[in-house]
Amino acid sequence: MPVATTENRVPIENSGREYQFNILGMTCASCVARVEKALLAVPGVRTASVNIATDSATVITDAGVGVEPLMAAVHKAGYDVATQEMGLAIKGMTCASCVARVEKALAKVPGVVSASVNLATEQARVQTHAPVAVGVLQQAVSQAGYEATPVSDSVEPSPELKKNALPEWWPVALAAVLTLPLVAPMVGMLFDVHWMLPGWAQWALATPVQFWLGARFYRAGWRAVRAYTGNMDLLVALGTSAAYGLSVYQLFQPGTQHFYFEAAAAVITLVLLGKWLETRAKRQTTDALRALNALRPARARVRRHGEELDVPLASVQVGDHVVIRPGERVPVDGAVREGQSQVDESLITGESVPVDKIPGARVTAGSINAEGLLVVETLAVGAETTLAR
């Protein structure tokens, strides 16, 4: 289907906006007139032009008009707006505010209908009504203070690299080793044991924790400042820098000295520990989701015109009759039309006892057919299946 683009477009006067998107379902000139009338009825629309040859619409609106009311008008007229979806891997997010910031930055990109960011998987799903270059989305995320790469490009490190790489917990362990002598005197006070490291020794232990192991907080905090916002990393950098800086100042003052090197080092060490635990939990969650999704077979046996065809799962459509032999995994969500069997649905329900299936019973993609031949009418495929959801 031809797709209209916005490249080399003359700027709209008076701060107006121009939208271009594809219309699905048009068949004749009356469809064109109906869509144009629906678009012109939206408040703020200046002009609307629909091309039946390219199935596209070009709409010029006032600056404050978004794409949502335009799409709603097309739907109300009885047609659909073609959308595309792409995935991005986001790096640098630490909390829910980061998620909201990335979603807001992506939603501002012209052509983006919606953006959904998952903190656990560190991925963003972006839905657009017109072709949007990946570089434009990456630039929007970068301006928000984060990094984005296409999901297809974010591959796992090779086994050789993983074998030679240092373990991820080493910064936490090293920070703990350097911080322990600083906080040990505080623990000794609980047992009425009073001793203290010399100031220069405290400085020597705290400095690598502050500026080497804690450098990630300064980098992330600087990105937040450039984006005119704040995050947890910025707070850690400011708080620990204040304690460290005051301690250095006291180090050069004569008389009684009060140092806070142990406070700065302990905060960085504890936050590093928390981030390591968080990364470990997210990786385990992602691996579990990936393993669950891998349970769905890549191909299906479809009965068409009296013949059984082995086709890719992406080619299966709602309403197709899928043949599932004993021992095979169910490729789609559907209803049994022929045969009787027992199906292991433990991946969804957690119940290890197989469930009896007779004509009319529902089956779930990824479950295992035990002993009988089943013919299942497809009710959901791809992202609409229970396993994908």
Side-chain angles (χ1 to χ4, degrees):
M1 177 184 300
V3 177
T5 64
T6 57
E7 296 180 0
N8 302 324
R9 179 66 56 183
V10 178
I12 305 302
E13 297 181 357
N14 299 327
S15 302
R17 301 185 65 177
E18 178 177 338
Y19 296 100
Q20 291 188 344
F21 43 83
N22 283 9
I23 307 295
L24 303 178
M26 296 190 302
T27 58
C28 59
S30 63
C31 298
V32 172
R34 192 174 300 116
V35 174
E36 288 182 346
K37 182 179 179 181
L39 290 171
L40 289 172
V42 177
V45 172
R46 300 179 183 178
T47 62
S49 175
V50 179
N51 191 325
I52 186 65
T54 60
D55 290 329
S56 64
T58 302
V59 184
I60 299 176
T61 71
D62 294 336
V65 179
V67 69
E68 292 80 6
L70 303 180
M71 298 181 65
V74 173
H75 287 300
K76 188 175 181 179
Y79 305 91
D80 292 320
V81 177
T83 58
Q84 302 176 4
E85 187 175 283
M86 63 183 71
L88 295 173
I90 310 297
K91 295 181 180 179
M93 297 188 301
T94 58
C95 57
S97 64
C98 298
V99 172
R101 196 171 299 121
V102 174
E103 289 180 344
K104 184 178 180 180
L106 290 172
K108 289 183 178 179
V109 176
V112 173
V113 177
S114 64
S116 176
V117 179
N118 190 317
L119 180 61
T121 60
E122 295 184 330
Q123 290 189 0
R125 306 302 303 180
V126 183
Q127 193 176 36
T128 65
H129 65 75
V132 178
V134 177
V136 176
L137 299 176
Q138 290 177 298
Q139 184 179 5
V141 175
S142 177
Q143 291 177 350
Y146 306 91
E147 298 179 15
T149 55
V151 172
S152 57
D153 295 340
S154 58
V155 296
E156 289 291 327
S158 63
E160 292 78 10
L161 292 178
K162 288 184 177 181
K163 183 178 180 180
N164 297 328
L166 292 173
E168 293 184 349
W169 49 262
W170 75 265
V172 180
L174 182 56
V177 170
L178 294 174
T179 304
L180 186 59
L182 296 173
V183 299
M186 300 177 63
V187 178
M189 292 180 183
L190 299 176
F191 303 95
D192 201 23
V193 177
H194 299 275
W195 65 280
M196 188 68 64
L197 288 174
W200 290 103
Q202 295 186 44
W203 171 84
L205 291 171
T207 298
V209 177
Q210 184 73 34
F211 297 108
W212 177 35
L213 301 176
R216 57 178 295 174
F217 301 111
Y218 288 98
R219 289 194 295 267
W222 174 242
R223 288 196 296 267
V225 170
R226 287 192 304 172
Y228 302 102
T229 184
N231 57 16
M232 185 185 71
D233 297 301
L234 179 60
L235 295 177
V236 172
L238 290 175
T240 57
S241 296
Y244 180 88
L246 179 59
S247 299
V248 172
Y249 173 78
Q250 292 284 356
L251 189 62
F252 291 95
Q253 301 301 312
T256 304
Q257 298 174 328
H258 299 281
F259 302 122
Y260 304 94
F261 289 116
E262 79 286 348
V267 168
I268 290 178
T269 301
L270 292 175
V271 176
L272 286 175
L273 174 62
K275 285 185 175 293
W276 174 68
L277 293 174
E278 179 187 18
T279 302
R280 182 169 173 265
K282 287 195 294 187
R283 181 178 297 106
Q284 291 175 344
T285 301
T286 304
D287 291 342
L289 291 173
R290 189 177 295 113
L292 186 64
N293 194 50
L295 296 177
R296 186 174 54 189
R299 303 184 68 84
R301 191 176 293 103
V302 180
R303 180 179 294 176
R304 293 175 180 170
H305 308 295
E307 297 182 2
E308 293 185 7
L309 305 175
D310 187 21
V311 300
L313 186 59
S315 300
V316 180
Q317 302 177 359
V318 175
D320 282 343
H321 284 71
V322 179
V323 180
I324 307 167
R325 295 176 179 175
E328 294 182 340
R329 288 192 179 272
V330 179
V332 297
D333 284 3
V336 177
R337 296 298 179 231
E338 299 178 19
Q340 297 183 7
S341 182
Q342 290 184 325
V343 175
D344 181 0
E345 298 180 338
S346 58
L347 82 163
I348 298 295
T349 64
E351 177 55 58
S352 60
V353 178
V355 180
D356 292 331
K357 298 296 180 181
I358 60 175
R362 296 294 185 93
V363 293
T364 304
S367 56
I368 303 175
N369 182 26
E371 56 186 19
L373 181 70
L374 294 177
V375 177
V376 175
E377 180 182 354
T378 303
L379 300 180
V381 294
E384 299 301 322
T385 62
T386 301
L387 182 61
R389 289 182 181 276

